[in-house]
């Protein structure tokens, strides 16, 4: 998994060259593709959507009339947003959305936008598993959307399935000149593929642009304020929206918070340490169960995991499918069960099998992370979206010598995952497009209370990031869960559930600093 950033979240684009200032037409919004320059015809545009007079700017997007059609489990629509907000009369791209209507329409208070994180997570898919309490779904239309670049919306595309397989399986811990050269080649191939297959879209998938799209969605559903539930990277989306539109914030919950002001290197170190801490919690559980395949103590078990990764660097494990489990795939296979305590028994099974010389369960877990299907296709483009968004939000300049020189910082903080995490910044150090959006002021002055939720042993978004975000937001209110796993809502913690539900339904936040 060379230089592949680990998702904070759960867990083919055609050219989008700018067209004329005429109405964005000539494409089928259901494809999620961009419009053709200079094309004519209705192209499936929302009713009443026109170019408007020159200089009208964003009015045509805010005033568009969207047609919601029945779809599986809800209503679906295509919403148009500008490719480039500095050129609103130019090309438009598609945002796909799905909503489930409030079950108590007489007491409906508006629309609750949701996002599961990533970058690259599908808000449309999230609608099917978020598990909001019935008191919330009674009064809100719940709307999931795929952010620009993601899934059913106009998507980022970088590699063929076969090349993505090779990228994901590649060596995450290059420790010879030949392996470092391979890292350089793979990263260059990934970046050039993104340019060739995504076109101008690649420069316009920043979180600032996603947040501006969210404000258009707010207008399209006729809400004066934006109510939002974001998990993991979704908290970054929410915090960015609050920074840009503080007076338009309604009731906002940010669960599994990302600190938007963290420096890329420090963020990578913190995330690697978070996964190491989560692994320690798992190893304590494994040892306490008796007959842990990794050893009789936590230290012995940790050493065995490190040895297993090193072993796979040289000798991948066979599987019944004919594919082999490389160190990169094993790295993902171990990470996935750390997101939820309920998955720990699967990790024990995978590690026991690996020690016995087979990699089937580790491969299954790695494929779950990557959303790779048995036929070799990928269910979504999340692995390609991650660097595309992260490299615009947090541009990097670290050279290979500096990365190698700074490796000890990672290994000291995270002896298991640090040797791989030290290379994560490399992709962004060589990213082919530069950010065009300035960083907003994350104090979000003037916003109402924003509920920031953190979990003390969250592997993907370490708890201290929630603490920092709550402090950075002028109106941030910190709610904490003492526990394991990624994010807090839906974890079975009644205290968290009640606090979040009460805030969304009644607007009353818990006391700042509440620990559940």
């Amino acid at each position: 998994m060379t230089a592949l950033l680990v998702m904070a979240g759960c867990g083919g684009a055609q050219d989008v060259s700018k067209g004329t200032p005429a109405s964005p037409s000539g494409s089928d919004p259901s494809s999620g593709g961009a419009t053709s320059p200079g094309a004519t015809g209705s192209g499936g545009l929302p009713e009443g959507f026109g170019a408007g007079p020159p200089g009208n700017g964003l009015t045509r997007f805010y005033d568009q009339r969207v047609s919601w059609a029945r779809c599986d489990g809800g209503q679906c629509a295509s919403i148009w947003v500008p490719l480039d907000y500095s050129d609103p009369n130019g090309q438009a791209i598609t945002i796909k959305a799905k909503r489930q209507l409030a079950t108590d329409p007489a007491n409906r208070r508006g629309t609750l936008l949701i996002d599961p994180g990533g970058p690259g997570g599908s808000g449309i898919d999230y609608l099917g598993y978020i598990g909001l309490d019935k008191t919330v779904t009674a009064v809100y239309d719940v709307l999931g959307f795929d952010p620009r670049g993601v899934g059913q919306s106009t998507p980022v595309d970088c590699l063929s399935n076969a090349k993505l397989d090779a990228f994901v399986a590649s060596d995450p811990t290059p420790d010879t000149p030949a392996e470092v050269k391979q890292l350089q080649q793979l990263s260059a191939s990934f970046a050039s593929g993104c340019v060739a297959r995504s076109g101008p879209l690649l420069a316009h998938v920043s979180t600032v642009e996603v947040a501006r799209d969210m404000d258009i969605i707010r207008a399209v559903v006729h809400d004066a304020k934006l109510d939002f539930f974001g998990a993991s990277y979704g908290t970054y989306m929410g915090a960015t929206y609050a920074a840009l539109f503080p007076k338009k914030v309604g009731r906002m919950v940010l669960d599994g918070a990302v600190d938007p002001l963290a420096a890329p290197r420090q963020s990578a170190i913190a995330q690697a340490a978070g996964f190491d801490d989560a692994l320690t919690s798992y190893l304590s559980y494994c040892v306490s169960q008796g007959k842990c395949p990794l050893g009789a103590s936590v230290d012995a078990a940790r050493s065995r995991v490190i040895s297993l990764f090193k072993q796979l660097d040289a000798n991948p494990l066979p599987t019944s499918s004919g594919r082999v489990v490389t160190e990169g795939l094993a790295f993902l296979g171990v990470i996935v069960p750390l997101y939820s305590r309920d998955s720990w028994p699967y990790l024990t099974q995978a590690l026991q099998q690996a020690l016995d010389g087979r990699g089937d369960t580790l491969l299954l877990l790695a494929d779950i992370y990557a959303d790779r299907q048995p036929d070799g296709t990928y269910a979504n483009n999340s692995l390609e979206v991650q660097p595309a968004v992260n490299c615009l939000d947090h541009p990097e300049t670290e050279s290979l010598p500096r990365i190698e020189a700074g490796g000890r910082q990672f290994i000291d903080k995270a002896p298991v995952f640090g040797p791989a995490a030290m290379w994560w910044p490399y992709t962004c150090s060589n990213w082919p497009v530069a950010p065009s959006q300035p960083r907003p002021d994350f104090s979000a002055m003037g916003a109402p209370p924003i509920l920031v939720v953190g979990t003390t042993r969250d592997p993907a978004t370490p708890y201290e990031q929630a603490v920092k975000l709550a402090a950075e937001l002028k109106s941030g209110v910190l709610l904490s869960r003492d526990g394991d796993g990624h994010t807090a809502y839906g974890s079975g913690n009644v205290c968290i559930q009640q606090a979040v539900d009460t805030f969304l339904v009644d607007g009353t936040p818990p006391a700042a600093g509440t620990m559940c």
Side-chain angles (χ1 to χ4, degrees):
M1 196 186 65
T2 303
L4 181 65
L5 303 178
V6 174
M7 276 197 296
C10 20
Q14 61 197 62
D15 187 89
V16 292
S17 302
K18 293 179 184 177
T20 66
S23 58
S25 56
S27 74
D28 176 6
S30 65
S31 70
T35 62
S36 303
T40 59
S42 65
L45 291 172
E47 181 185 355
F49 188 100
N56 198 35
L58 296 172
T59 302
R60 62 180 183 146
F61 296 99
Y62 276 86
D63 288 351
Q64 67 183 291
R65 294 197 296 276
V66 169
S67 177
W68 292 90
R70 291 179 61 183
C71 58
D72 184 28
Q75 299 179 338
C76 294
S78 297
I79 299 169
W80 292 82
V81 297
L83 168 67
D84 182 354
Y85 275 91
S86 69
D87 183 19
N89 287 318
Q91 191 67 42
I93 58 175
T94 307
I95 301 299
K96 288 287 190 175
K98 180 178 179 180
R99 69 183 180 184
Q100 295 171 346
L101 299 181
T103 59
D104 182 8
N107 291 302
R108 177 186 176 276
R109 70 169 314 274
T111 298
L112 179 68
L113 269 65
I114 60 171
D115 187 87
S122 167
I124 293 174
D125 291 347
Y126 194 36
L127 196 61
Y129 65 86
I130 183 175
L132 291 168
D133 189 78
K134 63 182 181 181
T135 60
V136 177
T137 57
V139 297
Y140 285 101
D141 296 343
V142 183
L143 186 152
F145 68 102
D146 286 1
R148 58 170 59 212
V150 175
Q152 297 181 44
S153 296
T154 304
V156 164
D157 184 26
C158 299
L159 299 176
S160 67
N161 291 327
K163 288 185 177 181
L164 193 55
D165 276 350
F167 187 78
V168 173
S170 62
D171 187 356
T173 57
D175 47 20
T176 69
E179 290 175 348
V180 171
K181 184 176 180 180
Q182 184 187 43
L183 177 149
Q184 292 175 290
Q185 293 171 339
L186 283 169
S187 293
S189 176
F190 186 95
S192 63
C194 291
V195 171
R197 297 164 75 102
S198 298
L201 175 67
L202 192 65
H204 295 288
V205 290
S206 71
T207 303
V208 167
E209 288 159 309
V210 170
R212 297 190 71 174
D213 295 343
M214 290 164 62
D215 198 53
I216 289 176
I217 296 173
R218 175 200 58 76
V220 162
V221 297
H222 309 294
D223 282 355
K225 306 272 187 177
L226 180 86
D227 298 313
F228 179 72
F229 183 103
S232 197
Y233 162 77
T235 68
Y236 194 175
M237 291 166 51
T240 303
Y241 182 90
L244 295 175
F245 307 102
K247 299 294 180 64
K248 295 182 181 178
V249 173
R251 296 172 188 175
M252 182 173 285
V253 178
L254 308 179
D255 182 13
V258 174
D259 175 12
L261 298 182
R265 167 176 281 270
Q266 296 309 312
S267 181
I269 291 173
Q271 189 177 57
F275 279 112
D276 263 52
D277 289 345
L279 181 67
T280 297
S281 292
Y282 158 74
L283 295 175
S284 297
Y285 155 84
C286 186
V287 170
S288 72
Q289 297 299 297
K291 298 183 179 179
C292 179
L294 298 165
S297 71
V298 171
D299 288 342
R302 183 185 297 106
S303 295
R304 191 68 187 91
V305 172
I306 293 173
S307 297
L308 177 63
F309 283 151
K310 289 180 178 178
Q311 172 190 332
L312 296 180
D313 190 10
N315 300 294
L317 286 171
T319 72
S320 59
S321 69
R323 296 166 63 199
V324 297
V325 175
T326 63
E327 183 187 8
L329 290 170
F331 180 88
L332 291 182
V334 171
I335 277 180
V336 167
L338 298 180
Y339 277 74
S340 171
R341 189 182 181 97
D342 292 341
S343 299
W344 287 359
Y346 297 106
L347 181 53
T348 301
Q349 175 184 327
L351 292 171
Q352 175 68 75
Q353 190 181 71
L355 296 175
D356 291 338
R358 300 293 298 179
D360 291 77
T361 305
L362 275 177
L363 181 61
L364 174 64
L365 292 169
D367 284 351
I368 289 172
Y369 179 95
D371 278 316
R372 186 186 189 276
Q373 307 302 294
D375 64 359
T377 61
Y378 286 80
N380 55 56
N381 66 337
S382 59
L383 295 181
E384 295 158 302
V385 174
Q386 287 176 55
V389 175
N390 287 333
C391 295
L392 290 180
D393 287 348
H394 298 289
E396 267 286 4
T397 58
E398 289 201 10
S399 64
L400 277 174
R402 186 175 177 215
I403 287 172
E404 292 177 304
R408 178 50 55 185
Q409 291 178 287
F410 285 85
I411 296 169
D412 287 346
K413 292 285 188 181
V416 179
F417 296 106
M422 62 180 280
W423 298 99
W424 293 348
Y426 183 71
T427 295
C428 290
S429 294
N430 296 273
W431 200 241
V433 294
S436 60
Q437 305 295 317
R439 173 181 286 181
D441 177 7
F442 285 100
S443 65
M445 292 289 292
I450 297 173
L451 188 57
V452 179
V453 189
T455 295
T456 56
R457 293 180 296 282
D458 189 318
T461 52
Y463 176 66
E464 58 266 25
Q465 295 201 30
V467 175
K468 289 179 179 177
L469 178 59
E472 288 157 5
L473 292 167
K474 189 69 174 178
S475 60
V477 176
L478 180 64
L479 171 66
S480 305
R481 175 174 74 98
D482 182 13
D484 299 290
H486 184 41
T487 69
Y489 191 83
S491 66
N493 187 304
V494 175
C495 169
I496 292 288
Q497 184 88 19
Q498 291 179 341
V500 171
D501 294 341
T502 298
F503 177 64
L504 288 174
V505 174
D506 298 336
T508 304
T514 296
M515 176 67 75
C516 294

